[in-house]
Amino acid sequence: MSQLFSTLRVTGDRGVVRVVIDNPPVNVLSLAMMTDLMTLLATLREDRTAKVIVFESADPEFFIAHVDMTLVDDEDAAADPTAGAPAGLNLFQALGEALRSQPQVTIVKLAGTARGGGAEFVAAADMAFAAIGRAGLGQMEVLAGIVPGGGGTQYLLKKAGRNRALEIVLGADLFDAQTAERYGWVNRALPAEEIDAFVDRLARGIADLPDGTIAAVKSALPPQDLAAGMLREHEAWASQFARPAAAKLLRGALAAGAQTRDGERRLEHLLRAMAGDGK
């Protein structure tokens, strides 16, 4: 299956599908990656032999850095951010909702940084486990003059509660594994040397359950209907994204080194400095 994708490496073994995200240099969530992920999820939706999907990264430092900032200058993306998405969703939200509605159990093994759209992807999965000392989660969109636009506000509202969601979104900090666990953003924070074995054991145990068990459990525990909230989020995101300040900040971040390895290591600092200079 991997030959179908330019940004993913996909293997399967006895009901467990392993998806390794591989989009150098820092695994930005580009249009190519979004297309690959949506195609993969649609394909697996019809695969009755697939029971569990585990997502991890080929890059030990970055799971999904964030949405590709160069989309600010992509005329096709800017002209219609809802193109190809279900009614009422933009393409970023559509990815998260596709993941949330997947019939398989979806698990994220987070051993690097996931910001913005990457953090939203983590939050949309059925389960997420974060490596202590290595994992980081953050919604830093406000520093670029926008709001999370891929379901992040709605997922955080349900997982962390309104007060903590406001802290995460408006504070724009990078959260470590233990704090993310305490806030309900991930299932567990695990020692980095134990996360592989833990997720492997969990995925294998779920995949080996009797036929029909996964479907029955997911039917009894369905994802909440977030349609109204998603519309509010998209309207908030689109209204801010259309402002000249957002484009200026995103282009400035790229010019200052965003989406390079060194730039991504200091991205929050870089964005905070630019946001302060723009006042």
Side-chain angles (χ1 to χ4, degrees):
M1 186 180 288
S2 292
Q3 67 271 17
L4 298 175
F5 308 112
S6 63
T7 66
L8 309 174
R9 303 202 309 262
V10 184
T11 57
D13 176 41
R14 294 171 30 230
V16 178
V17 178
R18 301 185 186 279
V19 182
V20 179
I21 297 166
D22 190 8
N23 190 29
V26 292
N27 279 354
V28 293
L29 187 59
S30 60
L31 286 177
M33 188 193 292
M34 282 187 272
T35 299
D36 280 351
L37 286 166
M38 290 293 277
T39 301
L40 173 68
L41 293 174
T43 300
L44 291 176
R45 189 175 294 275
E46 307 303 321
D47 186 347
R48 295 190 178 184
T49 68
K51 307 296 184 181
V52 181
I53 311 171
V54 177
F55 295 92
E56 57 188 291
S57 174
D59 188 323
E61 192 171 356
F62 299 99
F63 176 73
I64 297 174
H66 46 72
V67 170
D68 186 356
M69 291 182 182
T70 67
L71 292 179
V72 70
D73 289 316
D74 186 315
E75 292 183 2
D76 293 332
D80 185 2
T82 65
L89 299 178
N90 63 48
L91 76 165
F92 311 114
Q93 294 172 329
L95 174 59
E97 290 302 273
L99 186 62
R100 281 209 315 145
S101 64
Q102 200 69 17
Q104 292 86 10
V105 174
T106 57
I107 301 175
V108 165
K109 181 164 59 177
L110 183 64
T113 298
R115 299 187 187 95
E120 289 169 319
F121 185 90
V122 173
D126 290 329
M127 307 177 201
F129 301 92
I132 296 171
R134 291 177 55 190
L137 280 164
Q139 301 287 170
M140 77 308 185
E141 290 90 342
V142 293
L143 299 177
I146 55 177
V147 301
T153 62
Q154 303 308 299
Y155 302 149
L156 286 169
L157 183 62
K158 299 300 182 184
K159 286 176 175 285
R162 182 175 182 270
N163 57 341
R164 284 176 165 170
L166 285 167
E167 177 195 350
I168 291 167
V169 173
L170 291 173
D173 289 326
L174 191 66
F175 284 67
D176 61 33
Q178 293 101 318
T179 308
E181 178 195 60
R182 191 165 66 250
Y183 278 32
W185 207 345
V186 299
N187 289 62
R188 296 196 203 186
L190 294 162
E193 66 274 14
E194 297 177 13
I195 192 169
D196 288 341
F198 178 89
V199 172
D200 287 349
R201 180 187 63 77
L202 178 64
R204 172 57 49 213
I206 294 171
D208 287 342
L209 291 172
D211 286 348
T213 304
I214 293 171
V217 171
K218 295 197 83 169
S219 175
L221 293 168
Q224 291 178 291
D225 183 355
L226 301 178
M230 289 291 187
L231 179 59
R232 292 193 299 270
E233 178 187 83
H234 173 65
E235 290 174 345
W237 172 80
S239 67
Q240 290 299 110
F241 192 77
R243 293 174 178 265
K248 180 180 178 181
L249 285 165
L250 289 169
R251 292 186 184 111
L254 286 166
Q259 303 191 181
T260 67
R261 298 192 73 82
D262 181 63
E264 288 297 322
R265 292 176 184 130
R266 52 189 177 87
L267 184 61
E268 285 86 1
H269 175 75
L270 183 158
L271 287 171
R272 287 183 197 281
M274 289 194 306
D277 289 344
K279 290 181 179 178

Short mmCIF file of all heavy atoms in Angstrom, two decimals, residues 12-72:
data_model
loop_
_atom_site.label_atom_id
_atom_site.label_comp_id
_atom_site.label_asym_id
_atom_site.label_seq_id
_atom_site.Cartn_x
_atom_site.Cartn_y
_atom_site.Cartn_z
N GLY A 12 1.06 -3.60 7.21
CA GLY A 12 0.02 -4.26 7.97
C GLY A 12 0.45 -5.62 8.45
O GLY A 12 1.22 -6.31 7.77
N ASP A 13 -0.04 -6.00 9.64
CA ASP A 13 0.30 -7.30 10.20
C ASP A 13 -0.82 -7.77 11.10
O ASP A 13 -1.06 -7.17 12.14
CB ASP A 13 1.62 -7.23 10.98
CG ASP A 13 1.97 -8.55 11.65
OD1 ASP A 13 1.78 -9.61 11.02
OD2 ASP A 13 2.43 -8.52 12.81
N ARG A 14 -1.57 -8.78 10.67
CA ARG A 14 -2.60 -9.42 11.48
C ARG A 14 -3.57 -8.40 12.09
O ARG A 14 -3.85 -8.41 13.27
CB ARG A 14 -1.96 -10.27 12.58
CG ARG A 14 -1.20 -11.45 12.03
CD ARG A 14 -0.36 -12.21 13.04
NE ARG A 14 -0.87 -12.19 14.39
CZ ARG A 14 -0.14 -11.87 15.46
NH1 ARG A 14 1.13 -11.51 15.32
NH2 ARG A 14 -0.66 -11.91 16.67
N GLY A 15 -4.08 -7.53 11.25
CA GLY A 15 -5.11 -6.60 11.67
C GLY A 15 -4.62 -5.26 12.16
O GLY A 15 -5.42 -4.35 12.36
N VAL A 16 -3.31 -5.12 12.38
CA VAL A 16 -2.75 -3.84 12.82
C VAL A 16 -2.07 -3.16 11.64
O VAL A 16 -1.13 -3.70 11.05
CB VAL A 16 -1.74 -4.03 13.97
CG1 VAL A 16 -1.14 -2.68 14.37
CG2 VAL A 16 -2.40 -4.70 15.17
N VAL A 17 -2.55 -1.98 11.29
CA VAL A 17 -1.96 -1.18 10.22
C VAL A 17 -1.09 -0.11 10.86
O VAL A 17 -1.55 0.65 11.71
CB VAL A 17 -3.05 -0.51 9.35
CG1 VAL A 17 -2.42 0.36 8.27
CG2 VAL A 17 -3.96 -1.57 8.73
N ARG A 18 0.18 -0.08 10.45
CA ARG A 18 1.12 0.91 11.01
C ARG A 18 1.40 1.96 9.93
O ARG A 18 1.82 1.63 8.83
CB ARG A 18 2.40 0.22 11.47
CG ARG A 18 2.12 -0.85 12.52
CD ARG A 18 3.37 -1.49 13.09
NE ARG A 18 3.00 -2.59 13.98
CZ ARG A 18 2.63 -2.44 15.24
NH1 ARG A 18 2.57 -1.24 15.76
NH2 ARG A 18 2.30 -3.49 15.98
N VAL A 19 1.17 3.20 10.31
CA VAL A 19 1.35 4.32 9.39
C VAL A 19 2.47 5.20 9.92
O VAL A 19 2.34 5.80 10.99
CB VAL A 19 0.05 5.14 9.26
CG1 VAL A 19 0.24 6.29 8.27
CG2 VAL A 19 -1.12 4.25 8.85
N VAL A 20 3.56 5.26 9.18
CA VAL A 20 4.70 6.08 9.57
C VAL A 20 4.67 7.36 8.73
O VAL A 20 4.75 7.30 7.49
CB VAL A 20 6.03 5.33 9.35
CG1 VAL A 20 7.21 6.22 9.73
CG2 VAL A 20 6.05 4.05 10.18
N ILE A 21 4.53 8.49 9.38
CA ILE A 21 4.47 9.78 8.70
C ILE A 21 5.90 10.18 8.33
O ILE A 21 6.78 10.23 9.19
CB ILE A 21 3.81 10.83 9.60
CG1 ILE A 21 2.36 10.42 9.89
CG2 ILE A 21 3.87 12.22 8.97
CD1 ILE A 21 1.72 11.18 11.03
N ASP A 22 6.11 10.47 7.06
CA ASP A 22 7.47 10.72 6.56
C ASP A 22 7.43 11.79 5.48
O ASP A 22 7.33 11.51 4.29
CB ASP A 22 8.05 9.41 6.00
CG ASP A 22 9.53 9.51 5.69
OD1 ASP A 22 10.15 10.53 6.04
OD2 ASP A 22 10.07 8.56 5.09
N ASN A 23 7.48 13.05 5.93
CA ASN A 23 7.39 14.18 5.01
C ASN A 23 8.47 15.20 5.38
O ASN A 23 8.19 16.23 5.98
CB ASN A 23 5.99 14.83 5.10
CG ASN A 23 5.75 15.85 4.02
OD1 ASN A 23 6.31 15.76 2.92
ND2 ASN A 23 4.90 16.82 4.29
N PRO A 24 9.73 14.90 5.05
CA PRO A 24 10.85 15.78 5.43
C PRO A 24 10.66 17.20 4.88
O PRO A 24 9.97 17.39 3.87
CB PRO A 24 12.06 15.11 4.80
CG PRO A 24 11.64 13.70 4.52
CD PRO A 24 10.16 13.78 4.24
N PRO A 25 11.30 18.21 5.53
CA PRO A 25 12.26 18.05 6.62
C PRO A 25 11.66 17.96 8.01
O PRO A 25 12.31 17.48 8.93
CB PRO A 25 13.12 19.31 6.49
CG PRO A 25 12.19 20.33 5.93
CD PRO A 25 11.30 19.59 4.98
N VAL A 26 10.40 18.43 8.22
CA VAL A 26 9.86 18.45 9.59
C VAL A 26 8.42 17.95 9.65
O VAL A 26 7.70 18.26 10.59
CB VAL A 26 9.96 19.86 10.21
CG1 VAL A 26 11.41 20.25 10.45
CG2 VAL A 26 9.24 20.90 9.36
N ASN A 27 7.99 17.17 8.65
CA ASN A 27 6.64 16.61 8.67
C ASN A 27 5.55 17.68 8.76
O ASN A 27 4.64 17.58 9.60
CB ASN A 27 6.48 15.61 9.83
CG ASN A 27 7.04 14.24 9.52
OD1 ASN A 27 7.47 13.96 8.40
ND2 ASN A 27 7.06 13.38 10.51
N VAL A 28 5.62 18.71 7.91
CA VAL A 28 4.50 19.65 7.90
C VAL A 28 3.29 18.98 7.26
O VAL A 28 3.41 18.11 6.40
CB VAL A 28 4.84 20.96 7.14
CG1 VAL A 28 5.90 21.76 7.88
CG2 VAL A 28 5.22 20.71 5.71
N LEU A 29 2.11 19.40 7.71
CA LEU A 29 0.86 18.87 7.18
C LEU A 29 0.54 19.61 5.88
O LEU A 29 -0.20 20.59 5.86
CB LEU A 29 -0.26 19.04 8.21
CG LEU A 29 -1.61 18.39 7.89
CD1 LEU A 29 -1.46 16.89 7.69
CD2 LEU A 29 -2.62 18.69 8.98
N SER A 30 1.14 19.13 4.82
CA SER A 30 0.98 19.74 3.50
C SER A 30 -0.29 19.21 2.83
O SER A 30 -0.91 18.26 3.31
CB SER A 30 2.19 19.38 2.63
OG SER A 30 2.29 17.97 2.49
N LEU A 31 -0.65 19.83 1.70
CA LEU A 31 -1.79 19.32 0.94
C LEU A 31 -1.54 17.88 0.51
O LEU A 31 -2.46 17.06 0.50
CB LEU A 31 -2.05 20.21 -0.27
CG LEU A 31 -2.70 21.57 0.00
CD1 LEU A 31 -2.84 22.37 -1.28
CD2 LEU A 31 -4.08 21.40 0.65
N ALA A 32 -0.29 17.57 0.16
CA ALA A 32 0.05 16.20 -0.24
C ALA A 32 -0.19 15.23 0.91
O ALA A 32 -0.74 14.13 0.72
CB ALA A 32 1.49 16.12 -0.72
N MET A 33 0.22 15.62 2.13
CA MET A 33 0.01 14.72 3.27
C MET A 33 -1.48 14.60 3.59
O MET A 33 -1.96 13.50 3.90
CB MET A 33 0.77 15.20 4.50
CG MET A 33 0.72 14.16 5.63
SD MET A 33 1.26 14.75 7.26
CE MET A 33 3.01 14.99 6.97
N MET A 34 -2.21 15.70 3.55
CA MET A 34 -3.64 15.62 3.81
C MET A 34 -4.33 14.71 2.80
O MET A 34 -5.20 13.91 3.15
CB MET A 34 -4.26 17.02 3.79
CG MET A 34 -4.00 17.81 5.06
SD MET A 34 -4.90 19.38 5.14
CE MET A 34 -3.73 20.45 4.31
N THR A 35 -3.92 14.82 1.54
CA THR A 35 -4.49 13.95 0.51
C THR A 35 -4.15 12.50 0.78
O THR A 35 -5.01 11.61 0.68
CB THR A 35 -3.97 14.37 -0.88
OG1 THR A 35 -4.37 15.72 -1.14
CG2 THR A 35 -4.53 13.46 -1.96
N ASP A 36 -2.89 12.24 1.14
CA ASP A 36 -2.48 10.87 1.45
C ASP A 36 -3.27 10.31 2.63
O ASP A 36 -3.74 9.16 2.59
CB ASP A 36 -0.98 10.83 1.78
CG ASP A 36 -0.09 10.84 0.54
OD1 ASP A 36 -0.62 10.72 -0.58
OD2 ASP A 36 1.14 10.97 0.71
N LEU A 37 -3.43 11.10 3.67
CA LEU A 37 -4.14 10.62 4.86
C LEU A 37 -5.61 10.37 4.56
O LEU A 37 -6.18 9.35 4.99
CB LEU A 37 -3.99 11.63 6.00
CG LEU A 37 -2.61 11.66 6.67
CD1 LEU A 37 -2.47 12.91 7.54
CD2 LEU A 37 -2.37 10.41 7.50
N MET A 38 -6.24 11.27 3.82
CA MET A 38 -7.65 11.08 3.49
C MET A 38 -7.83 9.86 2.59
O MET A 38 -8.79 9.09 2.76
CB MET A 38 -8.20 12.34 2.80
CG MET A 38 -8.33 13.54 3.72
SD MET A 38 -9.60 13.33 5.00
CE MET A 38 -11.08 13.78 4.10
N THR A 39 -6.92 9.66 1.65
CA THR A 39 -7.00 8.49 0.77
C THR A 39 -6.81 7.21 1.57
O THR A 39 -7.53 6.21 1.39
CB THR A 39 -5.94 8.58 -0.33
OG1 THR A 39 -6.15 9.77 -1.09
CG2 THR A 39 -5.99 7.37 -1.26
N LEU A 40 -5.83 7.21 2.47
CA LEU A 40 -5.58 6.04 3.31
C LEU A 40 -6.81 5.70 4.15
O LEU A 40 -7.23 4.53 4.21
CB LEU A 40 -4.38 6.30 4.21
CG LEU A 40 -4.10 5.23 5.27
CD1 LEU A 40 -3.65 3.94 4.63
CD2 LEU A 40 -3.08 5.73 6.29
N LEU A 41 -7.37 6.70 4.83
CA LEU A 41 -8.52 6.44 5.68
C LEU A 41 -9.71 5.93 4.88
O LEU A 41 -10.42 5.01 5.33
CB LEU A 41 -8.90 7.72 6.45
CG LEU A 41 -7.87 8.20 7.48
CD1 LEU A 41 -8.29 9.55 8.05
CD2 LEU A 41 -7.66 7.18 8.59
N ALA A 42 -9.93 6.49 3.71
CA ALA A 42 -11.03 6.02 2.86
C ALA A 42 -10.81 4.58 2.42
O ALA A 42 -11.74 3.77 2.38
CB ALA A 42 -11.18 6.94 1.65
N THR A 43 -9.57 4.25 2.08
CA THR A 43 -9.25 2.89 1.65
C THR A 43 -9.44 1.90 2.80
O THR A 43 -10.05 0.83 2.63
CB THR A 43 -7.80 2.82 1.14
OG1 THR A 43 -7.64 3.72 0.04
CG2 THR A 43 -7.44 1.40 0.69
N LEU A 44 -8.94 2.25 3.97
CA LEU A 44 -9.04 1.35 5.11
C LEU A 44 -10.48 1.22 5.61
O LEU A 44 -10.84 0.20 6.23
CB LEU A 44 -8.14 1.83 6.24
CG LEU A 44 -6.63 1.71 5.98
CD1 LEU A 44 -5.84 2.31 7.14
CD2 LEU A 44 -6.23 0.25 5.77
N ARG A 45 -11.28 2.22 5.37
CA ARG A 45 -12.68 2.16 5.81
C ARG A 45 -13.38 0.94 5.22
O ARG A 45 -14.29 0.38 5.84
CB ARG A 45 -13.39 3.45 5.37
CG ARG A 45 -14.79 3.62 5.93
CD ARG A 45 -15.35 4.97 5.53
NE ARG A 45 -14.60 6.04 6.16
CZ ARG A 45 -14.84 6.50 7.39
NH1 ARG A 45 -15.82 5.98 8.10
NH2 ARG A 45 -14.13 7.47 7.91
N GLU A 46 -12.96 0.52 4.04
CA GLU A 46 -13.58 -0.64 3.38
C GLU A 46 -12.82 -1.93 3.62
O GLU A 46 -13.19 -2.98 3.08
CB GLU A 46 -13.66 -0.36 1.87
CG GLU A 46 -14.35 0.95 1.49
CD GLU A 46 -15.76 1.03 2.05
OE1 GLU A 46 -16.46 0.00 2.04
OE2 GLU A 46 -16.16 2.13 2.49
N ASP A 47 -11.76 -1.89 4.41
CA ASP A 47 -10.91 -3.06 4.64
C ASP A 47 -11.32 -3.74 5.95
O ASP A 47 -10.98 -3.28 7.03
CB ASP A 47 -9.44 -2.63 4.70
CG ASP A 47 -8.49 -3.80 4.79
OD1 ASP A 47 -8.95 -4.93 5.05
OD2 ASP A 47 -7.28 -3.59 4.63
N ARG A 48 -12.02 -4.85 5.85
CA ARG A 48 -12.52 -5.53 7.05
C ARG A 48 -11.43 -6.30 7.77
O ARG A 48 -11.65 -6.75 8.90
CB ARG A 48 -13.67 -6.46 6.67
CG ARG A 48 -14.89 -5.71 6.15
CD ARG A 48 -16.09 -6.61 6.00
NE ARG A 48 -17.26 -5.87 5.56
CZ ARG A 48 -18.48 -6.40 5.41
NH1 ARG A 48 -18.66 -7.70 5.67
NH2 ARG A 48 -19.49 -5.67 5.01
N THR A 49 -10.28 -6.45 7.16
CA THR A 49 -9.17 -7.14 7.84
C THR A 49 -8.39 -6.19 8.75
O THR A 49 -7.66 -6.65 9.62
CB THR A 49 -8.20 -7.77 6.83
OG1 THR A 49 -7.50 -6.74 6.11
CG2 THR A 49 -8.95 -8.66 5.84
N ALA A 50 -8.54 -4.90 8.54
CA ALA A 50 -7.83 -3.90 9.35
C ALA A 50 -8.65 -3.59 10.60
O ALA A 50 -9.81 -3.20 10.51
CB ALA A 50 -7.60 -2.63 8.54
N LYS A 51 -8.05 -3.77 11.77
CA LYS A 51 -8.74 -3.57 13.04
C LYS A 51 -8.25 -2.34 13.79
O LYS A 51 -9.03 -1.67 14.47
CB LYS A 51 -8.55 -4.80 13.93
CG LYS A 51 -8.91 -6.13 13.28
CD LYS A 51 -10.38 -6.22 12.93
CE LYS A 51 -10.72 -7.59 12.36
NZ LYS A 51 -12.16 -7.69 11.98
N VAL A 52 -6.97 -2.07 13.70
CA VAL A 52 -6.34 -0.98 14.45
C VAL A 52 -5.39 -0.24 13.51
O VAL A 52 -4.69 -0.87 12.72
CB VAL A 52 -5.55 -1.51 15.67
CG1 VAL A 52 -4.93 -0.35 16.46
CG2 VAL A 52 -6.44 -2.35 16.57
N ILE A 53 -5.36 1.10 13.61
CA ILE A 53 -4.40 1.90 12.84
C ILE A 53 -3.54 2.67 13.83
O ILE A 53 -4.06 3.43 14.66
CB ILE A 53 -5.11 2.91 11.91
CG1 ILE A 53 -6.20 2.23 11.08
CG2 ILE A 53 -4.09 3.58 10.98
CD1 ILE A 53 -7.07 3.21 10.30
N VAL A 54 -2.23 2.45 13.76
CA VAL A 54 -1.28 3.13 14.64
C VAL A 54 -0.50 4.14 13.81
O VAL A 54 0.12 3.78 12.80
CB VAL A 54 -0.31 2.14 15.31
CG1 VAL A 54 0.72 2.88 16.16
CG2 VAL A 54 -1.08 1.13 16.16
N PHE A 55 -0.52 5.40 14.24
CA PHE A 55 0.21 6.47 13.56
C PHE A 55 1.45 6.84 14.37
O PHE A 55 1.36 7.06 15.58
CB PHE A 55 -0.67 7.71 13.40
CG PHE A 55 -1.86 7.53 12.51
CD1 PHE A 55 -3.08 7.13 13.06
CD2 PHE A 55 -1.77 7.74 11.15
CE1 PHE A 55 -4.19 6.95 12.24
CE2 PHE A 55 -2.88 7.56 10.33
CZ PHE A 55 -4.09 7.16 10.87
N GLU A 56 2.58 6.91 13.71
CA GLU A 56 3.82 7.36 14.33
C GLU A 56 4.62 8.14 13.31
O GLU A 56 4.17 8.33 12.18
CB GLU A 56 4.61 6.17 14.89
CG GLU A 56 4.94 5.11 13.87
CD GLU A 56 5.55 3.88 14.52
OE1 GLU A 56 6.69 3.98 15.01
OE2 GLU A 56 4.88 2.83 14.55
N SER A 57 5.80 8.59 13.69
CA SER A 57 6.59 9.45 12.81
C SER A 57 7.94 8.83 12.51
O SER A 57 8.57 8.22 13.38
CB SER A 57 6.78 10.82 13.46
OG SER A 57 7.66 11.62 12.68
N ALA A 58 8.40 9.04 11.28
CA ALA A 58 9.76 8.64 10.91
C ALA A 58 10.78 9.59 11.52
O ALA A 58 11.96 9.24 11.62
CB ALA A 58 9.90 8.63 9.39
N ASP A 59 10.35 10.77 11.93
CA ASP A 59 11.22 11.80 12.49
C ASP A 59 11.07 11.78 14.00
O ASP A 59 9.98 12.05 14.52
CB ASP A 59 10.83 13.17 11.93
CG ASP A 59 11.80 14.28 12.30
OD1 ASP A 59 12.32 14.25 13.43
OD2 ASP A 59 12.02 15.17 11.47
N PRO A 60 12.12 11.48 14.75
CA PRO A 60 11.98 11.39 16.21
C PRO A 60 11.69 12.73 16.88
O PRO A 60 11.25 12.77 18.03
CB PRO A 60 13.34 10.84 16.65
CG PRO A 60 14.29 11.22 15.57
CD PRO A 60 13.49 11.17 14.31
N GLU A 61 11.91 13.84 16.17
CA GLU A 61 11.72 15.16 16.78
C GLU A 61 10.37 15.77 16.45
O GLU A 61 9.83 16.57 17.23
CB GLU A 61 12.84 16.10 16.32
CG GLU A 61 12.89 17.39 17.09
CD GLU A 61 14.13 18.22 16.78
OE1 GLU A 61 15.00 17.74 16.00
OE2 GLU A 61 14.24 19.33 17.31
N PHE A 62 9.81 15.43 15.29
CA PHE A 62 8.55 16.03 14.86
C PHE A 62 7.57 14.96 14.42
O PHE A 62 7.86 14.17 13.52
CB PHE A 62 8.79 17.01 13.69
CG PHE A 62 9.70 18.15 14.04
CD1 PHE A 62 11.03 18.13 13.68
CD2 PHE A 62 9.23 19.24 14.77
CE1 PHE A 62 11.88 19.17 14.01
CE2 PHE A 62 10.07 20.29 15.12
CZ PHE A 62 11.41 20.25 14.73
N PHE A 63 6.39 14.94 15.07
CA PHE A 63 5.31 14.05 14.64
C PHE A 63 4.65 14.66 13.41
O PHE A 63 4.81 14.19 12.30
CB PHE A 63 4.30 13.84 15.78
CG PHE A 63 3.12 13.00 15.38
CD1 PHE A 63 3.25 11.64 15.21
CD2 PHE A 63 1.88 13.58 15.18
CE1 PHE A 63 2.16 10.86 14.83
CE2 PHE A 63 0.78 12.82 14.81
CZ PHE A 63 0.92 11.45 14.63
N ILE A 64 3.90 15.73 13.61
CA ILE A 64 3.45 16.61 12.52
C ILE A 64 3.70 18.02 13.04
O ILE A 64 3.09 18.44 14.03
CB ILE A 64 1.96 16.43 12.17
CG1 ILE A 64 1.69 15.01 11.66
CG2 ILE A 64 1.54 17.46 11.11
CD1 ILE A 64 0.20 14.73 11.43
N ALA A 65 4.61 18.75 12.40
CA ALA A 65 5.02 20.05 12.93
C ALA A 65 3.83 21.01 13.05
O ALA A 65 3.63 21.64 14.08
CB ALA A 65 6.12 20.66 12.06
N HIS A 66 3.04 21.10 11.98
CA HIS A 66 1.86 21.97 11.90
C HIS A 66 1.44 21.97 10.45
O HIS A 66 2.09 21.35 9.59
CB HIS A 66 2.16 23.40 12.37
CG HIS A 66 3.42 23.99 11.82
ND1 HIS A 66 3.56 24.38 10.50
CD2 HIS A 66 4.63 24.22 12.39
CE1 HIS A 66 4.78 24.83 10.30
NE2 HIS A 66 5.46 24.73 11.43
N VAL A 67 0.36 22.69 10.13
CA VAL A 67 -0.07 22.83 8.73
C VAL A 67 1.00 23.60 7.96
O VAL A 67 1.65 24.51 8.48
CB VAL A 67 -1.43 23.54 8.66
CG1 VAL A 67 -1.78 23.91 7.21
CG2 VAL A 67 -2.53 22.65 9.23
N ASP A 68 1.19 23.23 6.73
CA ASP A 68 2.18 23.86 5.85
C ASP A 68 1.88 25.35 5.71
O ASP A 68 0.86 25.75 5.14
CB ASP A 68 2.13 23.17 4.48
CG ASP A 68 3.21 23.63 3.54
OD1 ASP A 68 3.98 24.55 3.89
OD2 ASP A 68 3.28 23.09 2.42
N MET A 69 2.78 26.19 6.20
CA MET A 69 2.57 27.64 6.15
C MET A 69 2.61 28.20 4.73
O MET A 69 2.08 29.29 4.48
CB MET A 69 3.61 28.35 7.01
CG MET A 69 3.45 28.13 8.50
SD MET A 69 4.70 29.07 9.42
CE MET A 69 4.32 28.57 11.10
N THR A 70 3.20 27.48 3.81
CA THR A 70 3.25 27.97 2.43
C THR A 70 1.87 27.98 1.79
O THR A 70 1.69 28.58 0.72
CB THR A 70 4.22 27.15 1.56
OG1 THR A 70 3.72 25.82 1.40
CG2 THR A 70 5.60 27.11 2.18
N LEU A 71 0.88 27.35 2.44
CA LEU A 71 -0.48 27.39 1.90
C LEU A 71 -1.03 28.80 1.86
O LEU A 71 -1.99 29.07 1.15
CB LEU A 71 -1.41 26.49 2.73
CG LEU A 71 -1.14 24.98 2.66
CD1 LEU A 71 -2.11 24.23 3.55
CD2 LEU A 71 -1.24 24.49 1.22
N VAL A 72 -0.43 29.70 2.65
CA VAL A 72 -0.89 31.09 2.62
C VAL A 72 -0.73 31.69 1.23
O VAL A 72 -1.46 32.62 0.85
CB VAL A 72 -0.13 31.94 3.67
CG1 VAL A 72 1.32 32.15 3.29
CG2 VAL A 72 -0.83 33.27 3.89
#
